[in-house]
Amino acid sequence: MGAYADLHRRSITDRESFWAEEAQRIHWHRPFDQVLDYSRPPFAKWFVGGQTNLCYNAVDRHLATRGDQPALVYISTETDTEKSYTYNELHDAVNVMASVIAAQGVGRGDRVLLYMPMIPEAVFAMLACARLGAVHSVVFGGFAAASCAARIDDAKPKLMITADAGLRGGKAIHYKPLVDEAVRLAKHPPRHVLVVNRGIDKEWQPVPGRDLLYTALAGNHAGAQVPVTWLESSEPSYILYTSGTTGKPKGVQRDTGGYAVALAGSMQHIYDGRPGETMFTTSDVGWVVGHSYIVYGPLIHGMTTILYEGLPIRPDAGIWWKIVADHKVNVMFSSPTAARVLKKQDPAYLKKYDLSSLRHLFLAGEPLDEPTHRWLHDAVGKPVIDHYWQTETGWPILSLAPGIEPAQVKYGSPGFPVYGYDLKLLREADATEAGPNEKGVLTIAPPLPPGCMTTVWGDDARFVETYFRTFPDQLLYATFDWGVRDADGYTFILGRTDDVINVAGHRIGTREIEEAVQAHANIAEVAVVGVADAVKGQMPLAFAVVRDAAKVATEAGRVAQEQEILATVDRQLGGIARPKRVLFVTLLPKTRSGKLLRRSLQALAEGRDPGDLTTIEDPAALEQIRNALLT
Ligand code: PRX
């Protein structure tokens, strides 16, 4: 048996001793009494009784040995700035931020909502919350005010932190007015909003009594030292909202000790990074990849992490490779969409820079098509490792583990089950295990390993109902992905089993988009499906039935309505959810019992056969869809 297969087997058959060993990778203020408490399935508590702190492990623990090593390198091609913070400097900055946050009455268990661009203060704020035992909830800066308000009402934060503006491709994105609007819409607004003033938006106005200016307060708190708040391992570290089948996003709750242990191990076994080396993850702090592998993972492992604010093709398509060469990046983590964007650029950019420091390039977040995988592999000349995971798990589910065994890449596959995950591919019909090359639903036999979500924030019942009820007779965590395993044990992901779509690596529920479209006054009914897109993987496409048909009777009318509806989605959800097109019909294809024939709709939109239509209520609906697609 290979070294990796052996490790995986041990992680399942000898679960507690395996994780007890892994737990030695982090600092425990008080040792744990019990590795795992699984007395209340499917709720798992890891490292019971142990006390630790994410900020301590990410920052303080390294001061004695690597205080002068860069911890965070901020590179912005938007503002042409580059600034490096050593571990000592990061420690100072985090303490100042923690002191400012604590002065607002924020402490253990209190929520802090961050709506921030990719600036160092976002990292300081996350770490500062962790230091204080406060629970951060980072909301991606692309979400609209209404989405942000829904998250405020769910998390009920004491404090929000934002900036005047972000920048994208040289264009200012005004964060502060959006936060003002979100706070106005929220039923449980925070008492204060802390604003990091970057000086990009010269017009923003503080709300008296509510808004606090970070730059001014940081001066008052200069030199502050804030003691670490030790948390019991299972106490929450953060909430991160993600989409599912319903319109209401779920707050994925993460623990403290299990997460730190899982990340620490993954940095070595999977990412094959070494303390003192440099990691460059091209995601955003608003996503799970940013939480785990821009902020916590590399820092817990004593690496230098790169925080990049900018586009992959500006000033030119060589910028990422320039960063790799300039900073001798050893581990890089990006997304298939980014790879497809780069593939369309001049290949000379990839040859221009010395990439010899790079050991592996990891991609995740959406299916990686084989041509792109091959292209990138050849272009970079280093193993390109596709790996698969979810916001819920916080770290990889399927991957190769080059830290343990050299990577044998099979194009199109994210590899093998990661240690700690007892994966089962089950036949949908009868929940029996699928054989080699047979499609099944990818599930995880609980207990979920350390680092995975512990519950849905504020809603234990929803956690169980959502994730553990796919098969009535077996308690199994559903990933909501289809998979297939080949004879060599490589797993391939075949797409979602639910109505979640993946747009440029961003996970969006079609129900959420439908609700956003429905906010437009002239919409009677709408169906949103994901259609294949050569660069973004998928794009939403909306089929709408309007109340007042006269408004879409002419071409000019249709264009105007479409624009209005797209603007409504922008306002409700944000530009990342904007449909590619809105097509107008008077009838949607439904079964006789009124269920939308979503898969048929999607098949038609992708030019495929619509499948079994024996249950359709009115076949005329299909003709309408076909005609609309021709327009
Ligand atoms: O459908 C799978 C897809 O993205 C979903 C998780 O998205 P998110 O919660 O945003 O977390 C991303 C963390 C990397 C999965 O359920 N997905 C993720 N990685 C892959 C993937 N699909 C195919 N191949 C992958 N490597």
Side-chain angles (χ1 to χ4, degrees):
M1 191 180 278
Y4 181 71
D6 188 45
L7 182 89
H8 183 267
R9 188 190 42 74
R10 197 158 67 76
S11 77
I12 303 300
T13 57
D14 217 357
R15 179 176 278 129
E16 297 198 17
S17 74
F18 176 85
W19 285 110
E21 263 173 50
E22 285 293 307
Q24 304 314 312
R25 296 179 185 281
I26 69 156
H27 171 84
W28 293 94
H29 176 66
R30 180 193 185 280
F32 46 90
D33 306 311
Q34 194 184 347
V35 179
L36 170 67
D37 173 1
Y38 193 52
S39 55
R40 196 167 67 101
F43 298 91
K45 286 186 170 172
W46 288 96
F47 311 118
V48 185
Q51 290 180 354
T52 187
N53 180 287
L54 281 180
C55 178
Y56 183 89
N57 276 286
V59 184
D60 302 54
R61 191 167 57 116
H62 305 304
L63 297 180
T65 50
R66 45 187 88 252
D68 295 326
Q69 176 199 309
L72 176 70
V73 177
Y74 166 61
I75 301 168
S76 174
T77 49
E78 297 290 350
T79 57
D80 277 327
T81 315
E82 190 166 319
K83 195 163 177 348
S84 175
Y85 300 82
T86 63
Y87 271 97
N88 279 327
E89 289 163 342
L90 179 62
H91 181 258
D92 291 347
V94 168
N95 273 279
V96 171
M97 181 66 87
S99 181
V100 170
I101 294 175
Q104 308 319 315
V106 172
R108 183 179 199 151
D110 291 332
R111 276 80 59 209
V112 178
L113 194 142
L114 273 57
Y115 188 85
M116 298 190 81
M118 288 282 283
I119 53 176
E121 287 80 0
V123 179
F124 304 159
M126 290 168 77
L127 292 166
C129 288
R131 187 170 198 84
L132 297 168
V135 178
H136 60 66
S137 175
V138 186
V139 175
F140 175 64
F143 279 115
S147 298
C148 189
R151 288 155 175 75
I152 293 174
D153 284 337
D154 195 71
K156 301 186 181 63
K158 236 186 195 171
L159 176 73
M160 264 179 88
I161 308 181
T162 189
D164 55 336
L167 288 160
R168 197 176 154 77
K171 198 171 142 269
I173 301 164
H174 299 271
Y175 279 45
K176 174 62 170 71
L178 193 142
V179 167
D180 288 344
E181 174 68 2
V183 170
R184 196 183 61 74
L185 293 171
K187 292 183 200 67
H188 300 277
R191 218 178 310 145
H192 291 293
V193 176
L194 184 62
V195 186
V196 177
N197 192 9
R198 308 178 70 189
I200 293 169
D201 181 350
K202 311 270 188 247
E203 317 267 286
W204 74 274
Q205 295 295 327
V207 174
R210 189 198 72 187
D211 290 353
L212 308 161
L213 198 61
Y214 181 67
T215 348
L217 290 176
N220 302 343
H221 291 259
Q225 294 286 322
V226 178
V228 162
T229 300
W230 300 107
L231 298 182
E232 200 278 338
S233 179
S234 288
E235 283 184 71
S237 56
Y238 68 74
I239 310 169
L240 184 56
Y241 288 89
T242 190
S243 300
T245 306
T246 67
K248 188 173 180 275
K250 292 179 289 271
V252 165
Q253 179 176 324
R254 196 90 60 210
D255 74 350
T256 297
Y259 187 50
V261 169
L263 291 184
S266 72
M267 288 308 305
Q268 180 173 324
H269 302 314
I270 297 174
Y271 297 100
D272 196 21
R274 310 195 180 143
E277 291 190 340
T278 300
M279 180 157 184
F280 176 26
T281 298
T282 68
S283 185
D284 186 284
V285 290
W287 304 118
V288 69
V289 174
H291 282 62
S292 292
Y293 296 111
I294 294 175
V295 183
Y296 291 113
L299 294 177
I300 286 173
H301 202 47
M303 293 179 75
T304 302
T305 188
I306 290 180
L307 183 76
Y308 174 63
E309 180 185 41
L311 301 177
I313 48 167
R314 193 172 173 271
D316 62 48
I319 180 64
W320 283 359
W321 315 116
K322 180 176 182 325
I323 291 173
V324 170
D326 287 356
H327 295 272
K328 303 208 167 23
V329 170
N330 309 96
V331 185
M332 187 168 168
F333 183 163
S334 189
S335 73
T337 288
R340 288 189 292 261
V341 167
L342 293 174
K343 197 166 105 183
K344 293 171 87 178
Q345 312 290 321
D346 185 347
Y349 284 117
L350 262 157
K351 302 284 167 220
K352 207 172 141 188
Y353 298 98
D354 174 10
L355 306 183
S356 59
S357 59
L358 201 60
R359 209 174 288 124
H360 301 98
L361 168 55
F362 291 85
L363 301 181
E366 55 181 316
L368 173 61
D369 56 285
E370 191 172 330
T372 304
H373 198 168
R374 281 183 189 278
W375 169 79
L376 198 57
H377 201 133
D378 294 343
V380 175
K382 298 289 164 75
V384 174
I385 300 184
D386 178 16
H387 64 323
Y388 157 89
W389 47 292
Q390 308 181 306
T391 304
E392 286 85 345
T393 63
W395 65 291
I397 303 171
L398 289 170
S399 184
L400 300 177
I404 295 167
E405 200 167 75
Q408 298 291 325
V409 170
K410 199 177 250 200
Y411 294 113
S413 165
F416 306 112
V418 166
Y419 55 89
Y421 290 90
D422 188 5
L423 292 185
K424 298 201 184 313
L425 259 182
L426 298 187
R427 297 187 179 105
E428 195 184 25
D430 61 2
T432 51
E433 291 213 35
N437 301 314
E438 189 188 347
K439 178 174 164 175
V441 180
L442 189 63
T443 65
I444 308 169
L448 298 178
C452 292
M453 79 187 289
T454 48
T455 188
V456 171
W457 174 257
D459 201 342
D460 282 355
R462 193 172 176 203
F463 175 59
V464 182
E465 293 303 322
T466 305
Y467 295 105
F468 292 90
R469 290 278 187 260
T470 302
F471 298 106
D473 302 329
Q474 293 185 63
L475 192 67
L476 290 169
Y477 169 90
T479 61
F480 298 104
D481 284 301
W482 296 108
V484 63
R485 198 178 291 142
D486 72 7
D488 300 327
Y490 285 82
T491 299
F492 295 75
I493 297 294
L494 306 174
R496 298 279 301 193
T497 64
D498 59 4
D499 297 326
V500 166
I501 61 173
N502 201 316
V503 183
H506 305 325
R507 172 174 158 186
I508 308 167
T510 49
R511 272 286 295 280
E512 281 176 87
I513 306 178
E514 286 168 3
E515 284 177 21
V517 170
Q518 229 129 24
H520 186 280
N522 198 28
I523 296 293
E525 213 183 348
V526 62
V528 172
V529 294
V531 291
D533 181 273
V535 173
K536 296 184 171 182
Q538 278 184 306
M539 279 286 280
L541 183 66
F543 294 92
V545 179
V546 292
R547 290 182 204 282
D548 178 2
K551 290 201 164 146
V552 295
T554 62
E555 177 58 19
R558 278 196 291 276
V559 171
Q561 283 284 283
E562 182 175 24
Q563 290 311 316
E564 276 184 28
I565 292 166
L566 296 181
T568 308
V569 175
D570 284 1
R571 216 164 34 242
Q572 294 288 317
L573 271 181
I576 52 168
R578 186 188 309 153
K580 189 175 190 162
R581 289 190 67 194
V582 183
L583 300 174
F584 298 101
V585 291
T586 60
L587 200 61
L588 292 170
K590 287 187 186 163
T591 63
R592 279 185 279 279
S593 56
K595 209 168 160 296
L596 185 71
L597 286 161
R598 223 176 245 290
R599 287 187 193 178
S600 302
L601 201 54
Q602 186 189 32
L604 283 175
E606 291 183 341
R608 292 182 282 115
D609 185 272
D612 180 14
L613 292 168
T614 46
T615 59
I616 194 164
E617 164 81 22
D618 185 349
L622 290 182
E623 268 326 293
Q624 283 210 21
I625 298 292
R626 285 201 180 92
N627 289 335
L629 286 164
L630 294 175
T631 59

